[in-house]
């Protein structure tokens, strides 16, 4: 049975939603070289120890072992995507995406069945997306890299040890980040229109990711080719100097951006210094996030001035959730719209696009 999935291959994390499931799966887009682990106590969740070997004709290195997501976040040899990386071409993004889809598939199967073998097969039609500036040139390439047969073998992962999963992607519908989120905001799960103002209007979107900030202009649910644009800057542009300043001032080193983002989301701004001292990193975060907010609000103003027909601006994405109080302060009298679970809006939009396209022929 073919599953429908929305997958947001973000530069900070990969997020997956399956049709009919209420719980999204979120895996930090961080990998590290895998090796035999010395396990003193098994983790209480598979997501905490994604230890995989991936076989795929779309990867430059085949049959490689990787620590993925949370297991890689604190590994000193981990890698995170940089501004020069293109997620449509990135092996790392494909590794994390296939791992997340394999886990989502077996999790759904085990929820509906009490027995399973050491080998599974999951088939998908997926919806996904790319930034505005990447989409035109790379959407077909991204689609071709995703579609096909891949194999993920979980090694020391708890509850999935030595389980092999064939991930078959029958079709990938690639859309534009930000625009997909707007589709989700304006429709019900049944795909009927929920918000006519948004669905039929001329809406600006500011989608703040880790490495990119996209400004699609959506008119009656169609992308405006002339006025939609994107910038090669995101929240990571400011996370990196925050980490450097903390290390320089306090000697405390965050092993990855993902680790810092975890603390910011949990509002845990106190770090433990060597010995028994502590330090408050909030002033450093405030300094950089305030600068980020001013820059983003200026970009929104420029978009609105160039195209005054825009009725309203939605600010979404993982960066929007982190920067919201700073953006509101920087915006002053300019009203910006925010939504709950901001970082999940694209993922849910991709799932709805997969649902709407799945009954149509493959030529899209």
């Amino acid at each position: 049975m073919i599953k429908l999935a929305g997958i947001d291959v973000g530069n900070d994390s990969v997020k997956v939603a399956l049709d009919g499931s209420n719980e999204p799966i979120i895996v930090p887009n961080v990998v590290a070289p895998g090796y035999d682990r010395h396990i003193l106590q098994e983790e209480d969740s598979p997501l905490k120890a994604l230890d995989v070997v991936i076989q795929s004709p779309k990867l430059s290195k085949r049959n490689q072992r990787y620590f993925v997501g949370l297991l890689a976040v604190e590994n000193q040899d981990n890698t995170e995507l940089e501004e020069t990386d293109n997620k449509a071409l990135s092996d790392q993004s494909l590794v994390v995406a296939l791992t997340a889809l394999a886990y989502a598939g077996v999790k759904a199967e085990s929820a509906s069945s009490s027995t399973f073998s050491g080998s599974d097969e999951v088939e998908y039609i997926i919806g996904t997306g790319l930034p505005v500036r990447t989409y035109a040139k790379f959407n077909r390439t991204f689609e071709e890299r995703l579609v096909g047969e891949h194999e993920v073998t979980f090694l020391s992962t708890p509850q999935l040890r030595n389980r092999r999963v064939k991930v078959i992607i029958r079709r990938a519908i690639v859309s534009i980040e930000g625009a997909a989120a707007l589709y989700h905001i304006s429709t019900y799960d049944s795909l009927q229109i929920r918000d006519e103002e948004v669905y039929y209007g001329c809406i600006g979107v500011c989608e703040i990711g880790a490495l990119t900030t996209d400004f699609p202009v959506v008119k009656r649910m169609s992308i405006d080719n002339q006025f939609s644009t994107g910038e090669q800057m995101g929240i990571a542009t400011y996370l990196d100097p925050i980490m450097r300043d903390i290390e320089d001032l306090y000697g405390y080193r965050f092993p990855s951006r993902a680790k810092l983002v975890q603390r910011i989301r949990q509002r845990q701004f106190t770090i433990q210094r060597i010995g028994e001292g502590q330090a408050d990193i909030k002033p450093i975060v405030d300094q950089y996030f305030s600068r980020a907010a001013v820059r983003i609000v200026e970009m929104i103003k420029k978009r609105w001035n160039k195209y005054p027909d825009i009725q309203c601006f939605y600010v979404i994405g993982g960066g929007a959730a982190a920067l919201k109080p700073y953006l509101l302060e920087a915006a002053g009298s300019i009203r910006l719209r925010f939504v709950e679970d901001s970082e999940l809006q694209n993922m849910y939009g991709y799932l709805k696009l997969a649902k709407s396209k799945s009954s149509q022929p493959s030529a899209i």
Side-chain angles (χ1 to χ4, degrees):
M1 182 176 166
I2 294 179
K3 300 180 189 300
L4 294 177
I7 178 164
D8 181 0
V9 185
N11 291 309
D12 64 327
S13 62
V14 171
K15 296 164 277 286
V16 177
L18 297 191
D19 190 26
S21 173
N22 297 322
E23 188 181 344
I25 288 159
I26 302 174
V27 180
N29 196 343
V30 186
V31 301
Y35 51 82
D36 288 336
R37 296 199 297 140
H38 183 54
I39 301 171
L40 300 175
Q41 181 175 335
E42 192 169 74
E43 292 82 4
D44 58 7
S45 163
L47 283 176
K48 292 181 180 177
L50 293 171
D51 174 9
V52 298
V53 168
I54 298 193
Q55 180 72 24
S56 171
K58 309 301 173 71
L59 292 171
S60 58
K61 292 181 180 178
R62 301 182 187 182
N63 226 30
Q64 294 287 304
R65 183 173 182 175
Y66 302 94
F67 294 159
V68 174
L70 293 172
L71 190 59
V73 161
E74 299 200 45
N75 190 295
Q76 63 181 5
D77 298 318
N78 67 28
T79 55
E80 296 179 278
L81 295 184
E82 302 300 333
E83 289 179 15
T84 52
D85 290 315
N86 179 340
K87 72 173 73 172
L89 307 175
S90 164
D91 272 8
Q92 174 173 323
S93 287
L94 187 56
V95 163
V96 182
L98 292 175
T99 302
L101 286 169
Y103 174 67
V106 294
K107 184 172 183 282
E109 289 297 326
S110 60
S112 60
S113 172
S114 58
T115 61
F116 53 81
S117 63
S119 180
D120 299 84
E121 188 173 289
V122 288
E123 289 187 64
Y124 285 110
I125 292 175
I126 63 172
T128 188
L130 288 172
V132 169
R133 284 174 63 176
T134 313
Y135 179 83
K137 189 173 180 182
F138 293 102
N139 73 87
R140 288 295 178 195
T141 304
F142 193 36
E143 179 186 338
E144 288 163 8
R145 279 171 62 79
L146 290 164
V147 171
E149 294 189 6
H150 319 269
E151 191 173 272
V152 179
T153 303
F154 295 93
L155 298 177
S156 67
T157 304
Q159 303 167 37
L160 299 174
R161 189 180 292 267
N162 298 323
R163 195 160 171 189
R164 188 168 63 253
V165 184
K166 183 179 282 188
V167 177
I168 303 169
I169 301 174
R170 295 293 182 198
R171 194 170 170 206
I173 295 101
V174 183
S175 58
I176 293 174
E177 292 176 1
L182 213 59
Y183 182 55
H184 172 61
I185 290 165
S186 63
T187 56
Y188 292 106
D189 287 343
S190 64
L191 309 183
Q192 299 300 307
I193 298 169
R194 176 168 61 180
D195 188 324
E196 291 195 356
E197 178 203 18
V198 175
Y199 195 90
Y200 293 114
C202 180
I203 312 297
V205 181
C206 173
E207 202 268 346
I208 309 169
L211 299 174
T212 57
T213 298
D214 287 294
F215 296 93
V217 175
V218 183
K219 208 170 179 181
R220 297 180 68 87
M221 282 298 127
S222 294
I223 301 290
D224 188 301
N225 288 318
Q226 183 176 352
F227 290 101
S228 297
T229 186
E231 298 290 335
Q232 281 297 119
M233 63 80 68
I235 192 106
T237 309
Y238 297 89
L239 293 174
D240 289 342
I242 288 171
M243 287 160 60
R244 280 197 301 271
D245 280 10
I246 291 168
E247 186 171 8
D248 290 347
L249 277 170
Y250 304 118
Y252 184 97
R253 182 178 176 274
F254 282 97
S256 60
R257 289 186 212 119
K259 194 68 177 173
L260 173 60
V261 168
Q262 278 178 11
R263 278 186 172 264
I264 292 172
R265 280 185 178 146
Q266 294 163 4
R267 311 294 295 171
Q268 294 178 355
F269 295 109
T270 302
I271 56 170
Q272 185 68 44
R273 303 178 69 180
I274 294 175
E276 296 189 12
Q278 293 183 326
D280 180 14
I281 63 171
K282 191 173 186 298
I284 298 174
V285 174
D286 287 345
Q287 175 193 342
Y288 282 101
F289 277 14
S290 295
R291 282 164 49 184
V294 168
R295 185 174 172 188
I296 287 167
V297 168
E298 285 303 314
M299 289 191 285
I300 289 172
K301 285 180 185 175
K302 285 180 182 177
R303 291 288 98 211
W304 227 328
N305 284 331
K306 281 189 176 181
Y307 196 10
D309 287 346
I310 292 172
Q311 294 161 236
C312 61
F313 241 100
Y314 275 89
V315 186
I316 58 170
L323 293 173
K324 182 179 177 180
Y326 307 92
L327 288 165
L328 288 170
E329 185 178 344
S333 60
I334 296 174
R335 183 165 172 253
L336 302 175
R337 296 191 184 186
F338 294 84
V339 293
E340 292 295 315
D341 296 324
S342 186
E343 69 277 12
L344 302 179
Q345 300 303 299
N346 276 322
M347 175 195 70
Y348 287 126
Y350 298 148
L351 175 58
K352 286 182 177 177
L353 286 165
K355 287 169 76 171
S356 70
K357 300 276 189 180
S358 61
S359 59
Q360 299 177 15
S362 293
I364 60 170

